[in-house]
Amino acid sequence: MSKTEKLHKNLYSPISEEPGQYDALLKVILNGNFDKPYQYLQVLAEYKAPKLWFDPLAIVLTPVPLLTEVSAEFTLFAAQFTQ
């Protein structure tokens, strides 16, 4: 196995994009010595689910005669979206 193949084999990438907590124990390699890692690095991460919410939480429109415009204002918030 070549050094490049060993390097790619030892890289970490989360398998799932599901929300939750993830942890990994990564090897710290010096001088290309893949068989004897210099040290280990523990990485803990949390991937949060995307979330939408509105302010106010509810809008109540009062009854009005037909053909009368009714409007209300609200704010849409978004968090944890990747793009």
Side-chain angles (χ1 to χ4, degrees), residues 44-75:
L44 303 172
E46 182 177 2
Y47 181 61
K48 295 183 179 181
K51 180 167 90 169
L52 290 174
W53 69 98
F54 300 88
D55 182 39
L57 294 177
I59 296 175
V60 178
L61 300 175
T62 57
V64 295
L66 294 174
L67 301 177
T68 304
E69 284 190 27
V70 177
S71 65
E73 291 186 18
F74 64 92
T75 304

Side-chain angles (χ1 to χ4, degrees), residues 11-73:
L11 293 177
Y12 174 75
S13 176
I15 295 170
S16 174
E17 290 188 16
E18 295 295 318
Q21 293 183 341
Y22 295 90
D23 64 339
L25 192 61
L26 307 176
K27 297 176 182 179
V28 177
I29 305 296
L30 293 180
N31 300 324
N33 190 359
F34 291 94
D35 297 327
K36 189 176 177 187
Y38 172 71
Q39 204 168 27
Y40 291 90
L41 176 66
Q42 184 175 15
V43 178
L44 303 172
E46 182 177 2
Y47 181 61
K48 295 183 179 181
K51 180 167 90 169
L52 290 174
W53 69 98
F54 300 88
D55 182 39
L57 294 177
I59 296 175
V60 178
L61 300 175
T62 57
V64 295
L66 294 174
L67 301 177
T68 304
E69 284 190 27
V70 177
S71 65
E73 291 186 18

